[in-house]
Amino acid sequence: MHFASDNWAGAHPSIAESLVRHAGGFAQAYGTSELDRRVEQRFAEIFERECEVFFVGTGTAANALSLTAFNKAGGVAFCHREAHVIEDECGAPEFFLGGSRLHGVDGPDGKITPENLQKAIARFPAGFVHSGRPMGVTITQATEIGTVHSLDELDAISAVCREHDLPLHMDGARFANALVSLDVSPAEMTWKRGVDMVSFGGTKNGCWCAEAIIIFGDRFTGELPYIRKRGAQLFSKTRFIAAQFEAYLEDDLWLKTARQANAMTTRLAQVFEQAPGARLAWQPQANEIFAILNDTAAERLRSAGAVFAPWKLPRVTDAVLEQDEQLYRFVTSFASTDDDVDQVQRLLTNA
């Protein structure tokens, strides 16, 4: 019963096989091999347009280097106050930005509201050099609390960005989970909504170690090759990231693994809704559940070997904890099974 994180799950067998298949022989280095080019073209097919693809090794690198691509002196990038980029990346974005800042914006359900974004941008008026200047917006899809921006919500945020001529970046560490939740195409969730750049995650969804920066248009592509090299993310043997993505994207494996993870979240959420001593803090929309358990229920699960994590209440939430309760995060993955969920149900309901 491993629900600590989808990062705990191993690699999907098809992806492991692809790595072995491409391990022998020789191939051009630094992203110039035939395999790299094939995978780049596959991304263009998936997103239904030409795009620039830059492989990196971690989600932190994808986010930090993406934001650096639209950096300005005195720059300010706006994100949700509890977004991963501002809460859980140890200052990596600011480090690579070289003095530019992330500015947290409040909003319910882990999402920026267009009204709050407008107010935040207004705090940095044009020409007032002392405060700095807006340089971009980044959103997380799916969010840090397991919710998903709807297409209308993406449109509303994008409209604010266009009004102020600010690029829009999407942190897609759980991109596939959000996509299958909305049941739309990658194009519909990104550039058709005005998204300029995506951190496309594969590691949480069955890859060994594979992330990519996807750029639509040529506004920032000239800088990224140098930013990636300087950031120590230009792997010489990029074919091994490409090999993972080749298998990941073939026959829609990436969507199948995401659907499996989301389906297990749906089942597990139903368990928490019905079990004594447990309730949902809010409805999950991807593959993360935030459940409120009393101490007895939590200890029963832990004693039986369940792995999950205590969590802080978001700053903006209607959830209220009683004295003997704690908020916990449960994350499902492609490797989660019905048996895992059934065990949780038996432990909570057969006490």
Side-chain angles (χ1 to χ4, degrees), residues 13-28:
S14 295
I15 292 169
E17 291 167 7
S18 184
L19 281 165
V20 172
R21 186 166 61 252
H22 291 285
F26 293 83
Q28 288 182 224

Side-chain angles (χ1 to χ4, degrees), residues 15 18-39 55 208-210 228 234-247:
I15 292 169
S18 184
L19 281 165
V20 172
R21 186 166 61 252
H22 291 285
F26 293 83
Q28 288 182 224
Y30 300 109
T32 62
S33 74
E34 292 183 7
L35 176 59
D36 288 274
R37 298 299 184 227
R38 285 201 308 271
V39 172
F55 298 139
W208 169 70
C209 180
R228 180 174 60 166
L234 178 58
F235 293 85
S236 59
K237 297 182 180 180
T238 53
R239 60 168 154 158
F240 293 117
I241 296 180
Q244 294 173 72
F245 277 132
E246 181 186 54

Side-chain angles (χ1 to χ4, degrees), residues 123-137:
R123 293 174 63 89
F124 302 89
F128 188 67
V129 68
H130 304 285
S131 64
R133 52 181 172 166
M135 69 178 191
V137 176

Side-chain angles (χ1 to χ4, degrees), residues 58-96:
T58 69
T60 297
N63 288 335
L65 301 186
S66 292
L67 297 180
T68 304
F70 51 74
N71 191 20
K72 297 178 179 178
V76 178
F78 302 91
C79 63
H80 191 272
R81 189 173 301 281
E82 292 171 316
H84 197 84
V85 290
I86 198 170
E87 284 281 303
D88 294 291
E89 295 191 322
C90 197
E94 293 94 335
F95 175 80
F96 282 97

Side-chain angles (χ1 to χ4, degrees), residues 121-194:
I121 293 171
R123 293 174 63 89
F124 302 89
F128 188 67
V129 68
H130 304 285
S131 64
R133 52 181 172 166
M135 69 178 191
V137 176
T138 176
I139 57 175
T140 314
Q141 182 77 324
T143 74
E144 283 299 282
I145 64 168
T147 56
V148 174
H149 293 83
S150 69
L151 298 189
D152 287 343
E153 288 170 330
L154 293 173
D155 281 336
I157 293 170
S158 175
V160 176
C161 293
R162 289 196 300 273
E163 178 184 343
H164 297 279
D165 192 28
L166 297 176
L168 178 58
H169 166 260
M170 177 180 285
D171 175 359
R174 295 186 173 93
F175 185 94
N177 302 98
L179 191 72
V180 300
S181 178
L182 291 178
D183 193 23
V184 298
S185 72
E188 289 172 315
M189 199 174 78
T190 56
W191 62 269
K192 288 186 177 181
R193 307 270 77 78

